[in-house]
Amino acid sequence: MSSSAPSPVARLRGLRPTWLSDPKVWRTEVLGGLVVALALIPEAISFSIIAGVDPALGLFASFTMAVVMSVVGGRRAMISAATGAVALVIAPLNREHGLGYLIAAVILAGVFQVALGALGVARMMRFIPRSVMVGFVNSLAILIFMAQVPEMRNVPWAVYPLIAAGLALMVFFPKITTVIPAPLVSIVVLTATTLAAGIAVPTVGDKGALPSSLPVPGLPDVPFTLDTLTTIAPYAFAMALVGLMESLMTARLVDEITDTHSNKTRESVGQGIANIVTGFFGGMGGCAMIGQTMINVKVSGARTRLSTFLAGTFLMVLCIVFGPIVSDIPMAALVAVMVMVSFATFDWRSLAPKSLKRIPAGEIVVMLVTVACVVTTHNLAIGVVVGSITAMVIFAKRVARHAHLTSVTDPGGGSVVYAVTGELFFASSNDLVGRFNYATDPDKVVIDLSAAHIWDASSVAALDAIETKYAQRGKTVEITGLNDPSADIHGKLSGELVSH
């Protein structure tokens, strides 16, 4: 034979991702992970303060979430860590019942997320319209910026030129080279400048003490009773929903940025597994982080799971090995990075005059409602839910207007034909009953539904009510033109819905 089958080793080599042999990809992923790790430290400490726990718990959560999700997550290059959304949900539990209950709630939230993921909750993402997605992105950008404002209040004057210098570096350094991420250059330059010049400004170390050792696994210090379960269950379920909502929306955003597809079901289950692991390691739990994800994907250009894994790994290495150096990083450097991320995240096209003229008014309202809810409550899940409900109401009203009724009376006066056009559902069929001339119509009435479609029981009930009103006057009604799905639902429900 002139050719032979490839050996098992050759076949295995063929299964390896192509990026494994590309030095440029390795450099991008490693540097991206390092920048994310540096940005994670003050964020994790801040969220720990919100939750009312030791800063180490937020850092441990960021470490375990990132590392575990790099393996089990459904969206490559997305960063999961301790987040403000989760901190806000579990803070009352920690305040009222203590740390043990918080850790137990994190584990239970992970179990809920695994269950919800297995049940297919990720498929609900297709019902979130684009206007809500734009509102979600814009509100995240606003929240990222708002989170930096406290770092610019009541601070030494030197903070402001440092922030300006950091922004300038990130804008102009990529014009020289993109080999090294501009945020990393900005952090290094500003840190070296403050140390060399002895400039006294707030630093990462001022946020809280960094951990000096790796987290140790263990069980939460709570009684394993039904009372404990009923206490933590509401908080755990709320955390599970908020975490999944933020993670799936972030995954969808990264899909659009990278023009790639992610496995949302795997992401949902993975978030649960990561929170379970995080809980057993004493972390405060978390979910996807839009700010750090944007640093990794949009600013650094990372695209693989390696950057996610290294973000968590570098985080612990920086804290344990290089803690004293990391503590000297000026907060101004990280504020500059997050301000740049905020600017890059915001969808500026959504506010462009040309876009506003072309986009339907209803979609603009949905976007603004989503932004207002998120910014007001600081809860992404509430904003997305309220925005989606608003979009559904506007859509229902818009479609309901497309249901039309025309009538043609037989020249002999013996019958009348009503032609119904459009979609018949609860919003459009409710006023259908009042649009017929029951008293003056002939004895025979034909309702032609050839250009209509019956969607729900409300429409069947409306048709039954019309027939009943005519019958009370001794007149007959014939319904014609039903397509197969409409005929099916009408046949099943007709006569069962109108009370007598």
Side-chain angles (χ1 to χ4, degrees):
M1 297 178 63
S2 58
S3 62
S4 58
S7 67
V9 173
R11 286 198 298 269
L12 286 174
R13 286 174 178 167
L15 295 175
R16 293 172 61 189
T18 55
W19 61 265
L20 284 175
S21 58
D22 189 340
K24 292 183 180 179
V25 174
W26 274 89
R27 182 180 62 241
T28 300
E29 301 297 311
V30 171
L31 294 177
L34 179 58
V35 175
V36 170
L38 289 168
L40 273 175
I41 293 174
E43 294 277 299
I45 295 174
S46 298
F47 297 145
S48 300
I49 295 171
I50 292 173
V53 300
D54 188 274
L57 272 67
L59 292 166
F60 288 158
S62 298
F63 163 61
T64 53
M65 289 293 298
V67 170
V68 174
M69 288 304 294
S70 70
V71 178
V72 301
R75 171 66 257 177
R76 296 188 300 274
M78 192 166 77
I79 305 298
S80 292
T83 61
V86 169
L88 288 170
V89 171
I90 60 177
L93 179 63
N94 180 62
R95 186 168 54 250
E96 296 171 14
H97 298 280
L99 179 60
Y101 283 82
L102 182 150
I103 300 300
V106 170
I107 296 172
L108 183 59
V111 174
F112 282 146
Q113 288 178 327
V114 171
L116 290 170
L119 291 173
V121 70
R123 288 194 291 270
M124 299 297 291
M125 287 296 297
R126 60 181 175 166
F127 295 109
I128 298 178
R130 184 184 180 280
S131 52
V132 173
M133 187 67 187
V134 173
F136 168 81
V137 171
N138 289 347
S139 59
L140 281 172
I142 294 171
L143 287 181
I144 291 171
F145 180 82
M146 289 175 61
Q148 312 313 310
V149 173
E151 305 297 336
M152 294 183 276
R153 289 177 179 166
N154 303 318
V155 293
W157 68 269
V159 168
Y160 304 109
L162 285 173
I163 293 175
L167 292 171
L169 278 169
M170 285 182 283
V171 170
F172 295 108
F173 186 80
K175 300 180 184 298
I176 301 173
T177 179
T178 57
V179 172
I180 303 175
L184 181 58
V185 174
S186 177
I187 293 170
V188 171
V189 170
L190 294 189
T191 302
T193 300
T194 55
L195 291 176
I199 303 174
V201 292
T203 64
V204 171
D206 296 331
K207 286 288 185 179
L210 302 180
S212 58
S213 61
L214 291 171
V216 179
L219 295 174
D221 184 18
V222 295
F224 292 90
T225 63
L226 183 60
D227 287 341
T228 299
L229 181 62
T230 55
T231 298
I232 66 174
Y235 295 95
F237 192 67
M239 175 185 164
L241 291 179
V242 169
L244 283 182
M245 183 76 71
E246 187 164 348
S247 299
L248 293 175
M249 291 292 284
T250 304
R252 180 172 164 181
L253 175 61
V254 178
D255 287 354
E256 294 182 3
I257 292 173
T258 61
D259 196 24
T260 58
H261 176 71
S262 62
N263 188 329
K264 304 299 189 303
T265 298
R266 177 176 173 178
E267 180 64 29
S268 302
V269 174
Q271 287 287 335
I273 294 172
N275 272 306
I276 292 172
V277 173
T278 296
F280 281 120
F281 275 92
M284 58 175 274
C287 61
M289 292 191 76
I290 183 70
Q292 275 62 28
T293 298
M294 290 299 100
I295 291 175
N296 196 44
V297 174
K298 204 165 187 178
V299 179
S300 300
R303 292 293 183 270
T304 76
R305 297 179 185 274
L306 179 62
S307 59
T308 306
F309 175 81
L310 290 177
T313 304
F314 283 150
L315 175 64
M316 280 293 99
V317 172
L318 289 169
C319 290
I320 296 172
V321 181
F322 300 102
I325 298 175
V326 172
S327 296
D328 288 333
I329 295 176
M331 284 300 301
L334 299 175
V335 168
V337 171
M338 298 312 294
V339 169
M340 182 61 71
V341 169
S342 171
F343 184 86
T345 301
F346 197 92
D347 187 350
W348 296 101
R349 289 177 300 177
S350 64
L351 297 182
K354 289 184 179 180
S355 298
L356 292 175
K357 289 179 181 179
R358 297 174 181 174
I359 298 174
E363 295 194 21
I364 296 175
V365 169
V366 170
M367 179 187 71
L368 294 176
V369 167
T370 303
V371 171
C373 286
V374 173
V375 173
T376 302
T377 65
H378 285 229
N379 190 316
L380 295 165
I382 292 177
V384 171
V385 170
V386 173
S388 298
I389 293 174
T390 304
M392 291 176 187
V393 171
I394 292 174
F395 174 77
K397 290 183 66 176
R398 185 184 303 162
V399 174
R401 294 196 193 102
H402 295 163
H404 301 290
L405 184 69
T406 57
S407 62
V408 176
T409 303
D410 178 61
S415 65
V416 61
V417 177
Y418 283 93
V420 181
T421 304
E423 308 300 322
L424 297 182
F425 64 111
F426 62 89
S428 61
S429 62
N430 283 339
D431 66 341
L432 191 64
V433 180
R435 298 167 67 180
F436 288 80
N437 300 314
Y438 301 101
T440 59
D441 277 342
D443 291 341
K444 183 178 180 181
V445 178
V446 178
I447 301 178
D448 182 8
L449 298 178
S450 301
H453 186 97
I454 298 175
W455 286 103
D456 60 6
S458 296
S459 302
V460 177
L463 292 173
D464 284 353
I466 293 168
E467 291 188 76
T468 300
K469 287 181 178 294
Y470 276 115
Q472 290 171 347
R473 293 168 173 78
K475 302 176 182 181
T476 61
V477 175
E478 179 185 0
I479 297 176
T480 64
L482 289 170
N483 57 34
D484 290 342
S486 298
D488 183 56
I489 190 172
H490 185 267
K492 289 178 179 178
L493 299 179
S494 182
E496 304 294 329
L497 302 173
V498 178
S499 58
H500 299 282

